[in-house]
């Protein structure tokens, strides 16, 4: 089996792709019908406000004030060394930002530390699958979520996808840490910096004529947009592991859901929208994610960039396998939408992955370890190494402009 480092590498690389979008919508055919009792709060029978009409006012108001006072660069510099959850905020921050961050860094009362511990163990045991699903599944799926693809393409991140991936990779790395939301972890800080970044994009992107001309939104990254991304990660991955017959005890299912519930809260998704059970998650995913999957010009361009990035590191050797795993994870229709070419390795992945999973899980008994299975583990690890940020310290910062190529 892969080492802990290899599994963490897979998770980091995969999550980099998975989080590449901004964290459509309730179409007339899928009317909004979400009730409070379906959420992590578990109370309130009434249908709550449609999530595509709600954003993140607490963060947005503070960040708008930072732009108006010309303090964004200063704040980015001050927050650069704020990395761990237990760290005090740096001196010199504007008082309104300090007050917001001190309140927002508090974990919700419903956090279950035991489930978070189980989630880390789950990540250690299931890292290979999650790496493939986050990267070749969720990450490439973000390119067929038009609102998400357009928000990325026309914002600052679209101008330098390598840097964008390095920054979004940090969330994928931090969520797999054994103390992710505890004192020694970094997930709280990473979520809050991401939340500020989302607010900065909301402030800046409406000024982009290219974005305005391509979307039906007046303001990007609504609660619905963030939930769509959440489902493309958490719900999609859990369902796919079921399809792959990965043994999944109830404790693992509950822990994985809880980890993503806490993550959603810390990213600014309101508790009333966060699914309380996997049944609720699947119901919400069918209402929010499924209806919006579609091709777009921007999404195709982003997919092309993502699938070509690895060529800088391995002269394109891994590209056919990335194509094959994308097709295997997402199916022929989405692969077609993204112009992913068919490869000779498609059949190898389709026929080889189920027994590979069965072998790793011990449900297929064999006298020895088939060399091809160990080679697949290693290939998957190497396929995502280029997302590790080349050893650089990764710091999530608020953008100060949009994609200069589309100004």
């Amino acid at each position: 089996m892969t080492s802990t480092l290899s599994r963490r590498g897979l998770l980091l690389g995969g999550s980099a792709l998975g989080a590449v979008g901004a964290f459509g919508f309730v179409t007339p055919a899928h009317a909004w019908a979400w009730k409070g009792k379906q959420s992590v709060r578990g109370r309130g029978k009434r249908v709550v406000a449609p999530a595509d009409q709600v954003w993140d006012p607490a963060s947005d108001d503070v960040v708008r004030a930072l732009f108006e006072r010309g303090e964004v660069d200063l704040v980015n510099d001050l927050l650069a060394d704020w990395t761990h959850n237990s760290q005090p905020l740096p001196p010199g921050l504007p008082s309104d930002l300090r007050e917001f961050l001190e309140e927002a860094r508090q974990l919700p009362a419903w956090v279950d530390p035991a489930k978070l511990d189980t989630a880390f163990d789950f990540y250690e045991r299931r890292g290979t699958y999650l790496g493939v699903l986050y990267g070749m599944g969720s990450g490439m799926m973000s390119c067929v979520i038009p609102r998400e693809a357009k928000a990325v393409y026309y914002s600052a991140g679209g101008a330098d996808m390598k840097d964008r991936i390095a920054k979004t990779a940090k969330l994928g790395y931090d969520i797999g840490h054994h103390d992710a939301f505890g004192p020694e972890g970094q997930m709280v800080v990473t979520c809050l910096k991401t939340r500020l970044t989302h607010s900065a994009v909301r402030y800046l992107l409406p000024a982009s004529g290219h974005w305005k001309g391509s979307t039906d939104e007046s303001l990007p990254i609504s609660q619905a947009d963030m939930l769509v991304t959440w489902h493309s990660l958490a719900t999609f991955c859990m369902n796919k592991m079921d399809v792959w017959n990965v043994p999944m005890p109830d404790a693992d299912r509950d822990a994985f859901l809880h980890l993503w519930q806490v993550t959603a809260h810390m990213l600014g998704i309101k508790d009333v929208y966060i699914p309380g059970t996997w049944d609720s998650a699947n119901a919400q995913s069918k209402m929010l994610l499924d209806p919006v999957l579609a091709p777009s010009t921007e999404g195709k361009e982003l997919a092309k960039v993502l699938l070509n990035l690895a060529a800088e590191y391995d002269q394109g050797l891994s590209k056919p396998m990335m194509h094959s795993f994308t097709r295997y994870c997402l199916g022929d229709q989405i692969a077609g939408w993204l112009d992913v070419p068919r490869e000779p390795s498609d059949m190898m992945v389709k026929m080889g992955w189920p027994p590979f999973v069965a072998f790793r899980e011990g449900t297929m008994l064999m006298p020895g370890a088939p060399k091809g299975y160990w080679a697949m583990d290693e290939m998957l690890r190497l396929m995502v190494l280029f997302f590790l940020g080349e050893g650089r310290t990764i710091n999530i910062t608020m953008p100060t402009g949009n994609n200069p190529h589309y100004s």
Side-chain angles (χ1 to χ4, degrees):
M1 298 208 176
T2 51
S3 66
T4 299
L5 178 59
S6 297
R7 289 193 295 269
R8 293 291 291 280
L10 279 165
L11 288 171
L12 175 54
S15 297
L17 279 172
V20 74
F23 270 38
F25 251 56
V26 186
T27 65
H30 296 79
W32 179 252
W34 184 254
K35 296 180 180 179
K37 67 178 181 180
Q38 296 173 278
S39 73
V40 72
R41 285 168 49 176
R43 61 180 185 270
K45 295 182 179 180
R46 293 184 178 180
V47 174
V48 298
D52 62 348
Q53 298 175 17
V54 183
W55 287 265
D56 188 1
S59 177
D60 293 349
D61 290 347
V62 170
V63 171
R64 183 185 304 108
L66 295 179
F67 274 101
E68 291 173 350
R69 298 195 299 259
E71 296 173 334
V72 175
D73 287 330
L74 169 66
V75 167
N76 281 336
D77 289 341
L78 290 173
L79 292 178
D81 294 325
W82 185 51
T83 56
H84 287 77
N85 302 338
S86 60
Q87 253 182 290
L89 289 168
L93 289 177
S95 58
D96 52 353
L97 175 63
R98 176 178 295 277
E99 182 179 349
F100 165 72
L101 292 176
E102 289 291 9
E103 181 176 351
R105 73 191 298 184
Q106 305 303 313
L107 295 175
W110 44 262
V111 164
D112 187 332
K115 286 184 179 180
L116 294 181
D117 288 342
T118 301
F120 170 70
D121 181 61
F122 173 80
Y123 262 66
E124 288 288 283
R125 289 181 283 110
R126 303 291 186 242
T128 296
Y129 312 134
L130 289 170
V132 171
L133 288 169
Y134 284 165
M136 303 303 105
S138 306
M140 298 308 296
M141 189 191 298
S142 71
C143 299
V144 291
I145 301 172
R147 286 185 174 182
E148 183 168 335
K150 292 172 182 180
V152 172
Y153 194 77
Y154 295 114
S155 66
D160 187 348
M161 288 301 293
K162 185 176 177 182
D163 180 69
R164 172 81 181 208
I165 287 172
K167 289 178 178 178
T168 55
K170 184 167 172 54
L171 187 145
Y173 183 85
D174 293 344
I175 198 174
H177 191 276
H178 76 279
D179 197 32
F181 289 100
E184 300 306 314
Q186 300 186 29
M187 193 61 179
V188 171
V189 174
T190 295
C191 285
L192 293 186
K193 287 186 176 182
T194 301
R195 196 171 168 184
L196 294 177
T197 297
H198 285 171
S199 290
V201 171
R202 288 190 201 97
Y203 179 83
L204 294 165
L205 203 51
S208 166
H210 288 86
W211 176 77
K212 288 173 64 177
S214 72
T215 186
D216 58 349
E217 291 186 290
S218 60
L219 194 64
I221 321 179
S222 68
Q223 294 278 304
D225 294 326
M226 290 190 285
L227 286 164
V228 164
T229 299
W230 190 92
H231 287 296
S232 75
L233 289 156
T235 310
F236 167 77
C237 289
M238 180 54 66
N239 288 336
K240 207 67 178 180
M241 283 188 285
D242 282 341
V243 170
W244 289 350
N245 295 314
V246 177
M248 198 71 62
D250 288 344
D252 284 353
R253 292 179 185 275
D254 292 345
F256 187 61
L257 175 61
H258 192 64
L259 182 69
W260 277 101
Q261 288 169 333
V262 178
T263 300
H265 175 95
M266 300 309 293
L267 285 170
I269 297 178
K270 295 183 180 298
D271 287 357
V272 73
Y273 297 128
I274 301 173
T277 65
W278 280 119
D279 285 344
S280 294
N282 282 311
Q284 191 185 77
S285 182
K286 289 176 182 177
M287 181 170 58
L288 287 178
L289 174 62
D290 294 1
V292 304
L293 297 176
S296 67
T297 300
E298 294 85 356
K300 287 186 177 184
E301 288 298 315
L302 288 177
K304 187 184 302 182
V305 171
L306 291 174
L307 291 170
N308 278 297
L309 279 175
E312 299 178 18
Y313 296 81
D314 64 3
Q315 289 73 53
L317 293 176
S318 64
K319 192 172 179 180
M321 289 299 290
M322 293 179 75
H323 290 161
S324 294
F325 270 102
T326 296
R327 183 173 297 277
Y328 182 66
C329 289
L330 296 179
D332 289 337
Q333 182 179 50
I334 291 180
W337 285 348
L338 296 177
D339 296 332
V340 175
R342 292 189 178 275
E343 301 284 359
S345 52
D346 289 354
M347 187 56 66
M348 182 190 75
V349 171
K350 182 178 180 179
M351 301 302 295
W353 188 255
F356 170 70
V357 171
F359 173 74
R360 293 185 91 256
E361 296 302 323
T363 58
M364 177 182 289
L365 299 179
M366 295 183 181
K371 291 183 179 180
Y373 291 174
W374 300 125
M376 186 172 286
D377 252 354
E378 181 64 9
M379 180 275 298
L380 293 171
R381 183 183 69 84
L382 293 175
M383 198 164 66
V384 296
L385 278 181
F386 69 97
F387 286 113
L388 294 176
E390 300 176 311
R392 294 179 288 113
T393 298
I394 299 170
N395 179 37
I396 298 172
T397 57
M398 289 178 283
T400 55
N402 294 317
N403 189 332
H405 302 304
Y406 295 98
S407 57

